[in-house]
Amino acid sequence: MTPEDTTISTDFIREAVKEDLASGRYNYVRTRLPPEPNGYLHIGHAKAFLIDYLVAKDFGGELNLRFDDTNPAKEETEFVEAIKEDAHWLGIEWGDREFYASDYFDDLYDWAVRLIKAGKAYVDDQTPEEVSRNRGTLTEPGVNSPYRERSVEENLNLLERMKNGEFPDGSRILRAKIDMASGNINLRDPAMYRIIHEPPHHRTGTTWCIYPMYDWSHGQNDSMEKITHSFCDVGYEAHRPLYEWFLEQLGEFMPRQIEFARLNLSYTVLSKRFLRRMVDEGLVSGWDDPRMPTLRGMRRRGYTPEAIGEFIEKIGIAKNYNMVDIALLEATVRSDLNIRAERRMVVLNPLKVVITNYPEGHTELLEAVNNPEDESAGTRQVPFSRELYIEREDFREDPPRKYFRLGPDREVRLRYGYFIKYEHHINDENGEVIEVHCTYDPETRGGYAPDGRRVKGTLHWVSAQHAVDAEVRLYDRLFTIENPLNSEEGKDFTDYINPDSLQILTECKAEPALTDVQPGYRCQFERRGYFCADIDSTADALVFNRTIALRDTWAKIRKGN
RNA sequence: AGGGGAGUGGUGCAAUGGCAGCACAGCAGUCUUUGGAACUGUUGAUCAUGGUUCGAAUCCGUGCUCCCCUGCCA
């Protein structure tokens, strides 16, 4: 595509890039994707990643993946691999353009020396507490460090010795010399290097014991890589003057930083820190718990990368604070899976049905459509016999108004099977229905009545004799309130965890076509929702996760009554 | 309070001085061998106030509300 191409969607970021190309500020586009390898990716990262990737792609540019590994205390190789895997899964490609902030430690050090020589940086011996106290407050200016006017020679010497490991952690920092009275606190002589001896860095080992701060690394790395556009969270807006100050002082290539609003999703939290807490406190089973908004969790739950991409496109890009309704995410997967997922019949809460006029010991195969939305998906054979399972909720002794399913004196259709008519039912000693006896109409094979009579309800079913046992895990929203972080006084977000966010069903009966499915297999269970075989699933013990339930009009009617 | 940013239906995003539109949610209906899907119709918004203008969501003034910033985190 060319910059003039009007088919490029017109969010304010793409508009800005287009303008930069038109004005000649840049004559190519190169973005960067800068994860810190200190945790797993969540759907909020997916938004940022996709912006970096797709903007570059739309303008025929390049994407640099660059791990922001400037703090050895928090970062691990394990996360590097996990992030790459998740990003690939999302469909993001960066070819061999894979970099690390730590690739630039030597060059960055040289740039720091240049800044000292220009009188724009100094080594400060104040304690962390003194630095903090002297920074001032939002309304009062800070006060200059007593070490601010050291000579260039002394600063050079001290920085060198910091690098050589002569000083303990926290004893000194290198600071930019800007303005302790600035209204923008980021400009009050921000720290550039701090001393960290332990632990060793995941890539550079013990080579370094001084590490750059974000502000003294990110923009410099962008510049070194000749990044044209550096997209980030609005939280970094106040850092932009600093980003530009450093590069101006150095006279180096100037990328353009553009900020956009991070994604907030209702009924969940999108913050590495809080997600980590849930994992650490055992509130969920891990980073890949299917209830987690992490990419790994969502993948395990059965979300497709296409659905996530679609969702990100739908929510758009702006600078407003936002709280996106999770219903939009749910609607998006539903619509994605509706088109691609094959249908199967699985009874979640089985109730036995005996077809009294069906020959004992007989089995026949009935043809079922795999996907009504996709003819090329073909058909399959489903075994039918005298004893079947239907959903417990599909029979009522005393059917309420507008209930279209099985009940006394009612006739319903078994999907792709026959019409069956109620005869009688059996209760156990507790009054619980344990068996329903029906007759079938042999003329309605396949579910059509030659005499044209109609039935209100169509039920899914599984032949008892041919059923495969399965465990099914039903998931619901993780939190009971829209914004768990905006909690009442004295309450923690964990106080709002939905106690019913996981329900495990162990007596489920699946049609035999599901016997051999592998973990990751996705399909729709007719009338129930979209499901995905879990990584715990084996040939001997099938386990399915519910990705999302089908839209349920009946539930709404019931609720309204 | 100092600095920075943002205010459009319930939610998210458009409209770039010229008919306030799209999606999700909601409501009503059609169709239906998934109470699914599809299709049709429909309710509902420019933070307030003053100004500029033939004309303002858009430009200007004032006020209000919300978000971010006082790590040797990113």
Side-chain angles (χ1 to χ4, degrees):
Chain A
M1 283 194 195
T2 65
E4 294 76 28
D5 197 323
T6 50
T7 63
I8 294 175
S9 66
T10 58
D11 55 81
F12 78 96
I13 286 184
R14 274 172 250 246
E15 287 295 337
V17 173
K18 207 180 288 183
E19 276 170 26
D20 288 343
L21 256 13
S23 72
R25 177 168 174 174
Y26 307 109
N27 57 16
Y28 66 95
V29 172
R30 178 138 74 220
T31 63
R32 104 271 92 112
L33 194 165
E36 184 189 13
N38 70 341
Y40 293 94
L41 264 24
H42 56 68
I43 190 164
H45 294 109
K47 174 181 180 181
F49 278 34
L50 256 5
I51 289 172
D52 292 333
Y53 172 59
L54 292 174
V55 170
K57 196 176 170 194
D58 284 354
F59 289 93
E62 295 170 311
L63 171 72
N64 284 7
L65 171 64
R66 186 178 69 231
F67 286 97
D68 216 338
D69 55 350
T70 57
N71 187 350
K74 297 189 170 182
E75 296 144 7
E76 297 169 31
T77 302
E78 173 201 344
F79 294 124
V80 169
E81 295 310 317
I83 288 167
K84 282 158 62 175
E85 187 184 302
D86 287 350
H88 272 135
W89 179 73
L90 254 191
I92 289 169
E93 294 159 24
W94 54 90
D96 59 357
R97 309 189 68 80
E98 179 181 322
F99 308 103
Y100 295 80
S102 53
D103 292 341
Y104 308 109
F105 283 172
D106 282 304
D107 290 337
L108 191 61
Y109 184 85
D110 291 343
W111 284 19
V113 168
R114 279 169 54 193
L115 231 38
I116 290 175
K117 286 179 176 166
K120 301 291 184 181
Y122 63 98
V123 172
D124 193 347
D125 301 357
Q126 293 183 104
T127 64
E129 294 70 31
E130 287 168 331
V131 169
S132 174
R133 191 177 332 121
N134 290 335
R135 186 159 24 231
T137 68
L138 292 179
T139 48
E140 304 153 39
V143 310
N144 285 171
S145 166
Y147 305 96
R148 200 172 194 261
E149 300 306 330
R150 286 218 253 234
S151 70
V152 168
E153 291 66 33
E154 191 179 6
N155 283 320
L156 253 16
N157 174 268
L158 254 12
L159 178 64
E160 169 101 30
R161 292 170 60 196
M162 279 168 64
K163 185 182 76 157
N164 292 342
E166 292 184 32
F167 308 122
D169 288 9
S171 59
R172 285 181 170 81
I173 51 174
L174 182 71
R175 299 179 77 174
K177 193 194 283 190
I178 308 180
D179 177 9
M180 289 305 291
S182 174
N184 182 345
I185 293 176
N186 297 306
L187 261 19
R188 316 239 261 231
D189 290 9
M192 294 168 62
Y193 278 109
R194 69 306 203 180
I195 302 171
I196 303 175
H197 285 89
E198 291 291 333
H201 186 274
H202 75 116
R203 293 184 80 241
T204 61
T206 54
T207 305
W208 293 86
C209 64
I210 58 171
Y211 291 92
M213 300 290 291
Y214 166 85
D215 285 311
W216 175 245
S217 171
H218 198 92
Q220 287 54 54
N221 294 167
D222 281 352
S223 179
M224 290 169 183
E225 292 183 358
K226 300 289 187 284
I227 298 297
T228 57
H229 298 273
S230 189
F231 308 125
C232 60
D233 192 297
V234 287
Y236 292 95
E237 217 152 11
H239 292 251
R240 180 157 29 93
L242 180 53
Y243 183 111
E244 291 171 350
W245 185 88
F246 277 130
L247 293 174
E248 272 162 14
Q249 303 309 311
L250 292 161
E252 294 289 344
F253 179 84
M254 182 76 77
R256 178 172 11 174
Q257 173 178 304
I258 300 176
E259 310 84 11
F260 61 89
R262 53 172 299 158
L263 168 66
N264 296 293
L265 244 198
S266 63
Y267 299 99
T268 190
V269 292
L270 295 184
S271 141
K272 252 187 236 178
R273 200 177 122 224
F274 292 125
L275 293 175
R276 181 186 305 281
R277 253 191 71 193
M278 291 198 287
V279 172
D280 290 347
E281 294 177 20
L283 271 13
V284 292
S285 66
W287 288 96
D288 67 344
D289 186 301
R291 292 168 293 181
M292 292 281 269
T294 52
L295 262 18
R296 301 170 99 72
M298 295 175 74
R299 186 192 322 166
R300 184 172 173 187
R301 170 102 169 235
Y303 273 78
T304 61
E306 291 84 355
I308 293 174
E310 181 84 12
F311 169 71
I312 296 303
E313 195 184 319
K314 279 181 186 170
I315 60 173
I317 309 169
K319 296 182 77 161
N320 306 334
Y321 171 85
N322 62 78
M323 174 65 75
V324 176
D325 190 345
I326 198 167
L328 179 61
L329 213 212
E330 296 171 343
T332 307
V333 231
R334 240 185 235 121
S335 118
D336 180 60
L337 260 15
N338 175 49
I339 292 162
R340 67 170 77 222
E342 293 200 347
R343 274 56 168 173
R344 296 291 183 264
M345 291 198 285
V346 177
V347 173
L348 268 29
N349 300 295
L351 171 64
K352 183 165 278 184
V353 168
V354 179
I355 313 293
T356 55
N357 61 338
Y358 195 86
E360 236 161 301
H362 183 64
T363 294
E364 67 181 307
L365 259 21
L366 297 166
E367 188 175 51
V369 171
N370 281 329
N371 186 351
E373 304 292 324
D374 177 10
E375 205 178 327
S376 71
T379 62
R380 69 187 184 285
Q381 302 295 117
V382 185
F384 186 91
S385 63
R386 184 180 152 92
E387 298 196 355
L388 315 166
Y389 293 112
I390 64 166
E391 293 290 349
R392 194 155 275 284
E393 64 182 52
D394 284 341
F395 174 79
R396 289 285 196 92
E397 291 178 276
D398 187 15
R401 236 169 66 82
K402 289 190 180 174
Y403 183 85
F404 301 151
R405 311 175 190 185
L406 197 58
D409 302 320
R410 292 199 176 194
E411 184 173 50
V412 297
R413 169 170 38 231
L414 293 179
R415 182 144 229 233
Y416 302 123
Y418 294 95
F419 284 14
I420 58 170
K421 193 164 184 184
Y422 171 90
E423 286 289 314
H424 68 275
H425 67 276
I426 302 170
N427 300 68
D428 66 10
E429 58 276 14
N430 301 318
E432 189 108 4
V433 179
I434 53 171
E435 219 169 274
V436 181
H437 288 208
C438 297
T439 54
Y440 83 117
D441 177 354
E443 298 298 310
T444 58
R445 190 174 199 269
Y448 295 94
D451 63 3
R453 77 178 188 279
R454 308 175 74 95
V455 287
K456 277 287 212 174
T458 299
L459 272 38
H460 62 281
W461 52 275
V462 172
S463 164
Q465 178 196 336
H466 305 90
V468 183
D469 291 331
E471 173 179 322
V472 172
R473 300 171 184 169
L474 267 22
Y475 301 101
D476 200 352
R477 296 166 181 183
L478 238 194
F479 292 92
T480 54
I481 61 172
E482 198 174 276
N483 185 2
L485 264 21
N486 191 5
S487 55
E488 288 174 50
E489 200 63 39
K491 286 204 172 188
D492 185 65
F493 77 101
T494 55
D495 293 329
Y496 298 97
I497 289 210
N498 178 4
D500 302 318
S501 61
L502 168 60
Q503 191 189 347
I504 300 177
L505 270 22
T506 54
E507 313 275 292
C508 310
K509 303 292 184 182
E511 68 166 275
L514 254 11
T515 308
D516 297 320
V517 301
Q518 299 299 307
Y521 169 84
R522 284 185 281 253
C523 67
Q524 182 195 102
F525 291 178
E526 294 242 10
R527 302 208 303 137
R528 300 311 308 237
Y530 297 96
F531 291 79
C532 176
D534 190 72
I535 46 178
D536 291 344
S537 192
T538 64
D540 298 327
L542 294 173
V543 179
F544 292 96
N545 296 315
R546 182 174 68 191
T547 309
I548 188 70
L550 251 28
R551 254 186 81 220
D552 190 350
T553 309
W554 168 239
K556 216 181 297 176
I557 294 169
R558 206 174 24 181
K559 212 175 162 187
N561 284 353

